[in-house]
């Protein structure tokens, strides 16, 4: 039972890592690229991948003829990523290579109002789907246990049931922990976005106020000259 529950936990965590709030390396595992011979290849077979920063993947094709195919593969699994083809000399964050070939930058979008709601809904939906399978597993193994311990002494039956319940509760905490951690990650990113927007508005207001004050001074100087 614990082996199955552990598998569900790993799958839920994998799905959460693929709901990119930051650039998570594991999100690139599923990317496949069709090469020049029409064969499906893993991204790692046709390109080098690294992080330019916390929000940006840098993909370096091993064969520049596969540049478009790699972009297409990335778009298929992660359409939310903003793609940009760039040479290393254009960006100081990038890995420098001797040939100065083109690289692909994939940037995770900011968590604005719309993306916040979409991510939160997706996180809860994935949790609910996982919970359905977990509940089925718990019921099935409780039934198996009841069959196996039928006729055992009462204290042994109680001990077995307690052990089963301990395992179920342990994984319930793991599932809930993944859910709350991902929700917090999204909320923190959303708050960061809101703070950025507030700072931009404040700066714009200060600029307008400064322009108004400057215009007022010019008018006063003009009055004195007259």
């Amino acid at each position: 039972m614990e082996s199955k529950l552990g598998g569900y936990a790993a799958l839920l965590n994998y799905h959460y890592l693929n709901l990119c709030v930051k650039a998570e390396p594991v999100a690139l595992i599923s990317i496949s690229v069709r090469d020049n011979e029409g064969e499906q290849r893993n991204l790692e077979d046709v390109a080098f991948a690294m992080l330019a920063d916390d929000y940006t993947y840098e993909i370096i094709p091993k064969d520049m003829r596969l540049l478009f195919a790699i972009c297409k593969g990335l778009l298929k699994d992660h359409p939310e990523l903003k793609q940009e083809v760039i040479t290393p000399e254009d960006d100081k964050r990038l890995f420098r290579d001797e040939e100065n070939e083109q690289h692909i930058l994939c940037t995770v979008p900011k968590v604005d109002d719309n993306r916040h709601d979409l991510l939160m809904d997706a996180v809860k939906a994935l949790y609910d789907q996982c919970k359905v399978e977990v509940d089925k597993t718990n019921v099935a193994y409780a039934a198996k246990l009841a069959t196996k311990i039928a006729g055992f002494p009462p204290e042994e039956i109680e001990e077995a049931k307690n052990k089963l319940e301990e395992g179920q509760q342990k994984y319930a905490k793991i599932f809930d922990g993944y859910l709350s951690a991902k929700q917090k990650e999204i909320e923190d990113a959303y708050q960061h976005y809101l703070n950025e927007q507030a700072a931009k508005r404040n700066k714009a207001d200060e600029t307008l106020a400064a322009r108004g004050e400057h215009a007022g001074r010019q008018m006063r100087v003009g009055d004195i000259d007259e």
Side-chain angles (χ1 to χ4, degrees):
M1 182 195 72
E2 290 205 16
S3 177
K4 278 198 171 184
L5 295 181
Y8 290 136
L11 184 59
L12 180 64
N13 189 43
Y14 174 75
H15 284 316
Y16 281 171
L17 290 172
N18 273 273
L19 291 175
C20 297
V21 175
K22 291 185 176 181
E24 299 285 355
V26 72
L28 300 181
I29 291 176
S30 63
I31 307 297
S32 83
V33 177
R34 189 178 295 277
D35 65 16
N36 295 328
E37 285 71 43
E39 184 179 346
Q40 290 295 135
R41 308 277 297 280
N42 293 328
L43 179 64
E44 63 187 23
D45 295 329
V46 298
F48 301 104
M50 59 193 74
L51 297 181
D53 56 43
D54 288 342
Y55 300 94
T56 310
Y57 301 99
E58 180 182 1
I59 313 296
I60 309 173
K62 296 179 181 179
D63 182 343
M64 284 298 134
R65 293 174 300 175
L66 293 178
L67 181 71
F68 177 74
I70 293 171
C71 290
K72 189 175 179 180
L74 290 163
L75 180 64
K76 181 177 178 293
D77 275 34
H78 287 284
E80 78 279 10
L81 298 179
K82 176 189 174 184
Q83 293 189 29
E84 183 180 8
V85 176
I86 192 170
T87 56
E89 64 181 7
D90 296 328
D91 195 322
K92 293 181 179 179
R93 297 172 301 168
L94 303 185
F95 176 78
R96 305 284 172 159
D97 55 24
E98 295 180 359
E99 298 181 359
N100 202 34
E101 295 280 12
Q102 291 178 310
H103 298 190
I104 305 165
L105 290 187
C106 295
T107 304
V108 179
K110 295 181 182 296
V111 180
D112 57 12
D113 293 346
N114 290 334
R115 193 154 190 264
H116 169 270
D117 294 343
L118 288 171
L119 286 171
M120 293 298 276
D121 289 345
V123 164
K124 187 59 168 61
L126 287 168
Y127 176 84
D128 290 342
Q129 290 172 11
C130 178
K131 192 72 166 52
V132 168
E133 298 303 319
V134 167
D135 289 345
K136 288 180 183 178
T137 298
N138 288 341
V139 169
Y141 277 90
K144 286 184 179 182
L145 180 65
T147 301
K148 286 185 176 293
I149 62 176
F152 280 38
E155 62 274 12
E156 291 185 18
I157 292 176
E158 187 67 20
E159 181 183 356
K161 287 182 177 180
N162 288 340
K163 187 174 181 180
L164 184 77
E165 187 176 342
E166 285 175 9
Q168 293 171 343
Q169 290 177 349
K170 179 180 77 173
Y171 278 94
K173 289 181 180 178
I174 292 174
F175 296 127
D176 290 346
Y178 285 152
L179 173 65
S180 60
K182 193 63 181 182
Q183 288 174 330
K184 184 179 185 303
E185 182 185 23
I186 295 167
E187 290 295 348
D188 288 347
Y190 180 54
Q191 191 59 52
H192 179 71
Y193 166 78
L194 293 177
N195 291 340
E196 280 187 339
Q197 296 304 304
K200 288 179 181 178
R201 286 194 297 270
N202 290 338
K203 187 174 181 179
D205 290 344
E206 291 172 2
T207 300
L208 287 173
R211 287 175 180 172
E213 184 178 348
H214 180 65
R217 283 204 197 97
Q218 287 183 321
M219 290 179 65
R220 287 195 295 274
V221 169
D223 291 343
I224 292 172
D225 289 343
E226 289 177 3

